[in-house]
Amino acid sequence: MAPLMEGLARPLYLRFADDVPRLCGVIHRTPFATGPAIKYYMLNLLDISINSHRLNFPPNTFQKIPSSATNGFVIDMRAPNTMIDQRTNGGNAYRVVMTAIMQHYDSFGLQKRNLPTTGPRYQLCYYDKPGFHQHPTMTFHFQEADYLVEGRFMYIHFVEGGFFCITILPGNGVSILGVHHQQNMRIIYDCNVNELQFYPKNCIYDQVS
């Protein structure tokens, strides 16, 4: 999808069957699960990295519990922000991820800001620092494929307040790959083989052909 540029609304194109553009470049592929009892496309998330630092979550941390109606990791084009579950198998994955991100920003001496009182419940915000561009990347290590979120898509900037917030929210029972982390990524759902295919692309030039 195209970047969510401030003040620049762009259409989102949803294509089907033969209208899907021909794949090009290095295509990443990971299986998804779906079915009558599953409302979303569920992905097998194995681990997460912040920059090159792998967080080394225990096996099955993000797996869906068969007896539970929630849990697991899904991709959702209706969810604006990514969510990391606070109740993953064996611990609080959200806290682990946010601690790693906080340590990155704190190492540059950025000053934390009080959390916004309106809008999404962002949990980590910092005041702007002139010339600062060292935003961390985030990699979702899926089964057979790595999904990289660029640093520029890890935060939302509030110009009037002179601060930015990390666009990851705490999940309660499920983890979600949201729209903010789908920017500049061509994503294809191949239901013939139950496979999610994706690759980086400058989607700002997308148009109806």
Side-chain angles (χ1 to χ4, degrees):
M1 63 168 294
L4 304 174
M5 295 182 175
E6 183 176 349
L8 184 60
R10 292 189 176 274
L12 175 66
Y13 297 111
L14 182 63
R15 302 172 187 267
F16 298 91
D18 294 339
D19 191 41
V20 175
R22 180 173 299 182
L23 301 178
C24 60
V26 178
I27 311 302
H28 305 278
R29 307 168 187 269
T30 185
F32 61 70
T34 186
I38 303 176
K39 298 180 180 180
Y40 302 95
Y41 293 95
M42 301 206 67
L43 306 176
N44 185 14
L45 179 64
L46 306 177
D47 204 355
I48 294 174
S49 289
I50 301 300
N51 285 328
S52 60
H53 174 56
R54 193 138 176 168
L55 300 182
N56 292 319
F57 284 105
N60 305 326
T61 296
F62 297 97
Q63 281 196 358
K64 178 176 173 59
I65 300 174
S67 61
S68 172
T70 56
N71 293 105
F73 190 98
V74 304
I75 180 170
D76 188 356
M77 295 191 67
R78 298 173 300 176
N81 297 289
T82 288
M83 290 186 173
I84 303 296
D85 195 4
Q86 302 174 93
R87 295 182 285 149
T88 46
N89 303 324
N92 187 337
Y94 173 77
R95 180 188 301 162
V96 174
V97 170
M98 296 303 285
T99 296
I101 294 174
M102 180 177 64
Q103 289 173 344
H104 169 84
Y105 284 115
D106 289 352
S107 71
F108 290 96
L110 270 65
Q111 181 183 357
K112 289 189 181 68
R113 183 194 184 278
N114 292 334
L115 304 180
T117 56
T118 59
R121 59 188 193 282
Y122 298 127
Q123 300 294 301
L124 184 61
C125 302
Y126 289 90
Y127 285 105
D128 291 333
K129 184 176 181 179
F132 180 81
H133 302 290
Q134 289 78 25
H135 297 281
T137 61
M138 184 174 184
T139 303
F140 295 95
H141 301 287
F142 293 117
Q143 179 181 345
E144 301 174 11
D146 289 344
Y147 184 106
L148 175 67
V149 180
E150 298 178 43
R152 61 182 172 143
F153 299 139
M154 286 290 292
Y155 66 96
I156 184 171
H157 188 220
F158 295 86
V159 177
E160 291 185 2
F163 68 97
F164 65 89
C165 295
I166 304 305
T167 55
I168 301 175
L169 299 179
N172 291 303
V174 68
S175 298
I176 300 173
L177 179 60
V179 168
H180 202 86
H181 287 169
Q182 297 178 38
Q183 297 179 78
N184 268 10
M185 191 71 75
R186 176 79 73 193
I187 298 175
I188 299 171
Y189 301 81
D190 190 336
C191 295
N192 292 317
V193 293
N194 283 358
E195 183 179 78
L196 187 78
Q197 304 167 358
F198 57 91
Y199 60 93
K201 179 178 175 58
N202 190 348
C203 298
I204 196 172
Y205 298 112
D206 274 7
Q207 57 184 355
V208 176
S209 57

